[in-house]
Amino acid sequence: MLSQLTADFDPEAVARGVEMYRAGGVTLAPRSRAEIARFFEGLEPVEPGLVQLTDWHPELAVGETVDEDAVISLYGAVARKP
């Protein structure tokens, strides 16, 4: 299981966030979808695969309203060893 910050959706906002964390001594490393996908090579992805977190089984959000237009600068995926 992995969730990872990305600048794919809102690069300017992510750059500001990275800089704010850097000023506090924390290093963040946003990665592109292709860079994240490499972590799953040789594994069997669980549906829906590597997607923006808002697309990871929104039907399971019990009692929550899912904003389908929300931009969350995170990818997530789950995979199994074959």
Side-chain angles (χ1 to χ4, degrees), residues 13 19 21 37 47 62-63 65 67-68 72 81:
E19 187 51 43
Y21 274 87
E47 287 297 322
V62 177
T65 302
D67 181 356
E68 294 180 12
I72 306 294
K81 280 178 90 171

Side-chain angles (χ1 to χ4, degrees), residues 31 33-42 50:
R31 292 184 171 94
R33 188 179 189 290
E35 291 171 317
I36 299 164
R38 293 185 306 161
F39 292 113
F40 293 95
E41 289 177 2
L50 179 59

Side-chain angles (χ1 to χ4, degrees), residues 10-64:
D10 192 351
E12 293 174 4
V14 170
R16 286 191 305 270
V18 167
E19 187 51 43
M20 287 172 38
Y21 274 87
R22 185 183 341 258
V26 177
T27 301
L28 294 179
R31 292 184 171 94
S32 69
R33 188 179 189 290
E35 291 171 317
I36 299 164
R38 293 185 306 161
F39 292 113
F40 293 95
E41 289 177 2
L43 301 175
E44 295 174 357
V46 173
E47 287 297 322
L50 179 59
V51 295
Q52 185 181 12
L53 285 188
T54 53
D55 295 332
W56 181 259
H57 292 289
E59 73 279 5
L60 299 177
V62 177
E64 299 290 328

